[in-house]
Short mmCIF file of all heavy atoms in Angstrom, two decimals:
data_model
loop_
_atom_site.label_atom_id
_atom_site.label_comp_id
_atom_site.label_asym_id
_atom_site.label_seq_id
_atom_site.Cartn_x
_atom_site.Cartn_y
_atom_site.Cartn_z
N PRO I 233 -29.83 6.71 4.06
CA PRO I 233 -30.50 5.48 4.52
C PRO I 233 -30.33 5.08 6.02
O PRO I 233 -31.10 4.23 6.54
CB PRO I 233 -29.71 4.41 3.72
CG PRO I 233 -28.41 4.99 3.41
CD PRO I 233 -28.68 6.43 3.36
N ASN I 234 -29.34 5.72 6.66
CA ASN I 234 -29.21 5.48 8.18
C ASN I 234 -28.50 6.70 8.79
O ASN I 234 -28.06 7.58 8.03
CB ASN I 234 -28.36 4.10 8.35
CG ASN I 234 -27.02 4.22 7.69
OD1 ASN I 234 -26.21 5.06 7.98
ND2 ASN I 234 -26.83 3.25 6.76
N ARG I 236 -25.72 7.03 10.37
CA ARG I 236 -24.28 7.22 10.15
C ARG I 236 -24.04 7.94 8.77
O ARG I 236 -23.21 8.82 8.57
CB ARG I 236 -23.46 5.95 10.24
CG ARG I 236 -23.27 5.41 11.66
CD ARG I 236 -22.40 4.18 11.62
NE ARG I 236 -22.04 3.95 13.01
CZ ARG I 236 -21.18 2.89 13.36
NH1 ARG I 236 -20.71 2.06 12.34
NH2 ARG I 236 -20.85 2.68 14.54
N ALA I 237 -24.78 7.48 7.74
CA ALA I 237 -24.70 7.98 6.45
C ALA I 237 -25.13 9.43 6.49
O ALA I 237 -24.56 10.39 5.81
CB ALA I 237 -25.55 7.20 5.38
N TRP I 272 -16.73 10.43 7.07
CA TRP I 272 -17.17 9.28 7.72
C TRP I 272 -16.60 9.08 9.08
O TRP I 272 -17.21 8.41 9.96
CB TRP I 272 -16.85 8.02 6.81
CG TRP I 272 -17.96 7.73 5.84
CD1 TRP I 272 -17.96 8.00 4.54
CD2 TRP I 272 -19.13 7.11 6.14
NE1 TRP I 272 -19.20 7.65 3.99
CE2 TRP I 272 -19.95 7.08 4.97
CE3 TRP I 272 -19.76 6.68 7.28
CZ2 TRP I 272 -21.22 6.60 4.89
CZ3 TRP I 272 -21.09 6.05 7.28
CH2 TRP I 272 -21.75 6.04 6.07
N ALA I 275 -18.85 10.35 11.59
CA ALA I 275 -20.02 9.40 11.89
C ALA I 275 -19.55 8.15 12.61
O ALA I 275 -20.26 7.15 12.79
CB ALA I 275 -20.57 8.94 10.55
N VAL I 277 -16.98 6.15 11.73
CA VAL I 277 -16.48 5.04 10.92
C VAL I 277 -15.02 5.35 10.39
O VAL I 277 -14.93 6.51 9.90
CB VAL I 277 -17.43 4.86 9.66
CG1 VAL I 277 -16.89 3.76 8.79
CG2 VAL I 277 -18.78 4.44 10.18
N LEU I 279 -12.14 5.06 7.88
CA LEU I 279 -11.80 4.67 6.48
C LEU I 279 -10.33 4.81 6.28
O LEU I 279 -9.63 5.63 6.89
CB LEU I 279 -12.47 5.69 5.51
CG LEU I 279 -13.97 5.61 5.27
CD1 LEU I 279 -14.43 6.63 4.24
CD2 LEU I 279 -14.45 4.28 4.91
N ALA I 289 -13.29 -0.49 1.03
CA ALA I 289 -13.65 -0.30 2.47
C ALA I 289 -15.06 -0.63 2.73
O ALA I 289 -15.51 -0.40 3.83
CB ALA I 289 -13.24 1.06 3.00
N GLY I 290 -15.75 -1.17 1.80
CA GLY I 290 -17.26 -1.48 1.96
C GLY I 290 -17.66 -2.32 0.97
O GLY I 290 -16.90 -3.05 0.18
N ARG I 291 -19.01 -2.32 0.73
CA ARG I 291 -19.56 -3.25 -0.28
C ARG I 291 -19.71 -2.56 -1.61
O ARG I 291 -20.26 -1.45 -1.64
CB ARG I 291 -21.00 -3.73 0.20
CG ARG I 291 -21.71 -4.64 -0.77
CD ARG I 291 -23.00 -5.25 -0.10
NE ARG I 291 -23.81 -4.31 0.29
CZ ARG I 291 -24.89 -3.85 -0.50
NH1 ARG I 291 -24.98 -4.25 -1.78
NH2 ARG I 291 -25.71 -2.94 -0.03
N VAL I 299 -27.11 5.58 -2.96
CA VAL I 299 -27.79 6.38 -1.93
C VAL I 299 -26.91 7.32 -1.24
O VAL I 299 -25.65 7.18 -1.31
CB VAL I 299 -28.45 5.45 -0.87
CG1 VAL I 299 -29.50 4.44 -1.53
CG2 VAL I 299 -27.39 4.62 -0.12
N PRO I 300 -27.41 8.38 -0.67
CA PRO I 300 -26.64 9.36 0.03
C PRO I 300 -25.66 8.69 1.08
O PRO I 300 -26.06 7.92 1.82
CB PRO I 300 -27.58 10.29 0.71
CG PRO I 300 -28.76 10.26 -0.17
CD PRO I 300 -28.83 8.84 -0.63
N GLY I 301 -24.38 9.09 1.07
CA GLY I 301 -23.37 8.55 1.88
C GLY I 301 -22.44 7.57 1.23
O GLY I 301 -21.32 7.28 1.72
N ASP I 302 -22.84 7.04 0.02
CA ASP I 302 -22.00 6.16 -0.67
C ASP I 302 -20.79 6.92 -1.24
O ASP I 302 -20.86 8.13 -1.51
CB ASP I 302 -22.73 5.41 -1.84
CG ASP I 302 -23.74 4.48 -1.38
OD1 ASP I 302 -23.65 4.02 -0.23
OD2 ASP I 302 -24.70 4.13 -2.19
N THR I 346 -18.88 2.40 -3.55
CA THR I 346 -18.76 1.57 -2.31
C THR I 346 -19.78 2.12 -1.19
O THR I 346 -19.79 3.29 -1.02
CB THR I 346 -17.32 1.56 -1.78
OG1 THR I 346 -16.44 0.98 -2.71
CG2 THR I 346 -17.21 0.83 -0.38
N ARG I 347 -20.39 1.21 -0.61
CA ARG I 347 -21.30 1.49 0.54
C ARG I 347 -20.58 1.24 1.79
O ARG I 347 -20.29 0.01 2.12
CB ARG I 347 -22.62 0.75 0.46
CG ARG I 347 -23.61 1.08 1.56
CD ARG I 347 -25.03 0.75 1.13
NE ARG I 347 -25.39 1.50 -0.04
CZ ARG I 347 -26.41 1.13 -0.91
NH1 ARG I 347 -27.04 0.01 -0.66
NH2 ARG I 347 -26.64 1.91 -1.92
N VAL I 348 -20.27 2.20 2.57
CA VAL I 348 -19.50 1.98 3.80
C VAL I 348 -20.24 1.38 4.95
O VAL I 348 -19.83 0.51 5.57
CB VAL I 348 -18.85 3.30 4.25
CG1 VAL I 348 -18.10 3.15 5.51
CG2 VAL I 348 -17.94 3.90 3.12
N ALA I 349 -21.53 2.01 5.15
CA ALA I 349 -22.39 1.50 6.20
C ALA I 349 -23.81 1.77 5.92
O ALA I 349 -24.08 2.52 5.06
CB ALA I 349 -21.98 2.26 7.53
#
Side-chain angles (χ1 to χ4, degrees):
N234 55 61
R236 285 186 170 181
W272 273 102
V277 177
L279 290 182
R291 179 168 62 89
V299 296
D302 290 341
T346 294
R347 182 158 300 156
V348 177

